[in-house]
Amino acid sequence: MSPQSYFVTTPIYYVNAEPHLGHAYSTLAADILARHMRQRGADVFFLTGTDEHGEPIELAAEREGITPQELADRNAAKFEALMPIIDASNDFFIRTSDPRHSAKVAEIMQRVYDNGWVNKGVYEGWYCPRCADFKTERELGPGNTCPIHEIVLEKVREENWFFRLSAFQGQLEGLYEERPDFVVPDFRRNEAVSFIKGGLEDVSLSRPTLKWGLPLPWDPEQRMYVWFDALLNYVTALTFAREGEDLTDRFWPATLHVLAKDILKFHAVIWPALCLAADLEPPRRMTIHGYLLMGEKKMSKSLGNVLDPFEVIERFGADALRFYLFREVSFGQDGSISTAGFESRYETELANDYGNLASRVLAMVERYRDGTVPIAAVDVTLAEDFEGVVPRFSELLDRAELTQALEEAWKLVRRLNRFVEESQPWVLAKDEADPERLDEVLYNLVEGLRVTTLLLVPYLPASAETLLAALAEPERALADLGSRPGGQSVERIPALFPKIE
Ligand code: MSP
């Protein structure tokens, strides 16, 4: 069977500020899916990067007295540096100030223009420079404020080019009818559909006052509204991510865009329309997650309230952070995170439930069987609880149910701990009362730990590697309980998640 291609993306992040945990969150979600799909033998391409044009960057640079490019270079470097720190396995990092991106954007937008999907007109509306977005009257907060940034907005009136979004109303409705899983979860899909059904207006494509943006190929006096330049990253990247190679045919349309609800409208409404306007196939699917909250407010640089991912990782390691975020907050929903909650899950789940289980199993095999895993039969009761877990887990991740999939794996961790308590290998080992049962128990513990750890690879990549090496497991493909006969030599390792001092 030829391996399936799987192209997963994150939003590209604005460089007007430094990376925070919210950005890490989306990137990690995409990373978990990318790693899992690699385990399933898919041909994976995982893209992330930075969105470097637009007024927010222009304004932030002005405040600091530097050029937008200088600010972009400085902060893009920080986003790029974040990736290995959180253990993101992205295949490319796109920067929209890359001239190869600009050239491709000009080519595609010219096509949109040639196809007749662009009009000139006058724009009057409420513009938020921090969102780089116009707000409708309906969206405004009290006192004509931005509902996200809580700043007072100005009404602007200017000559603009417009993208004829309204012309795609019917096609978009058709797309949503044909593809029930175009946007997941369902409640986000419904939001997108009701936005479309509410009637689409044309959207501003350029701004005459903007300096830090790409020129429109047919009217270079006007600079492109950053969202068009930004959305197109998903296709331009494929044309230059690999020197001398164009990956478009191999990976487009994208399998999955990962993003939060704040940019739903751009991705679920404007983006598929723009694809159609540019003779590109729209992406296959997008998954919309919620916000990480600290003290009820969305965590962001502009509102403050930032939990520094660098600091967390320095103390606990990237695996612990990855685990916590997808365990604590049900993926798709908003959810609160806290230092206290983090430490508690680290202690009880990572250190005790999983780390301790691994240490005990390896120690018992060494003590009772000189480090060689016995060859024995699968325990019937354990087999019941492992039955069908691989397809169940995979299916959850196919639907981007990252928290539920992790819970499936964690059920097995808890089951293995119960198995240790029930079978009491230390009692069986006394005088070797029942050596066959002890063989069976040890074999099943190693086997259970192996199968469970293979599932956990995308969530806990570093710890899983260490443990799988100790278990002498050469494969990374998902496996069923009993698919390995035993007989291998295992090694003890230091605690995977040492207790917090
Ligand atoms: N540059 C645009 C995206 C263009 S994509 C073609 C942008 N950038 S951003 O820096 O503001 O990033 C927004 C995204 O960052 C959100 O959609 C989400 O993926 C992530 N998050 C930022 N803060 C977050 C939380 N507090 N919680 C969860 N995700 C967060 O919008």
Side-chain angles (χ1 to χ4, degrees), residues 131-143:
C131 292
D133 187 17
F134 292 97
K135 305 286 162 191
T136 61
E137 297 280 346
R138 267 190 297 159
E139 289 171 320
L140 288 183

Side-chain angles (χ1 to χ4, degrees), residues 203-219:
V203 290
S204 177
L205 171 61
S206 65
R207 308 215 49 214
T209 51
L210 184 73
K211 289 186 285 295
W212 183 239
L214 299 179
L216 290 184
W218 63 90
D219 180 2

Side-chain angles (χ1 to χ4, degrees), residues 286-304:
M286 55 194 81
T287 181
I288 319 299
H289 62 74
Y291 287 146
L292 296 180
L293 306 171
M294 288 188 71
E296 295 310 316
K297 280 219 167 162
K298 181 195 169 199
M299 185 181 54
S300 79
K301 267 288 174 203
S302 32
L303 296 174

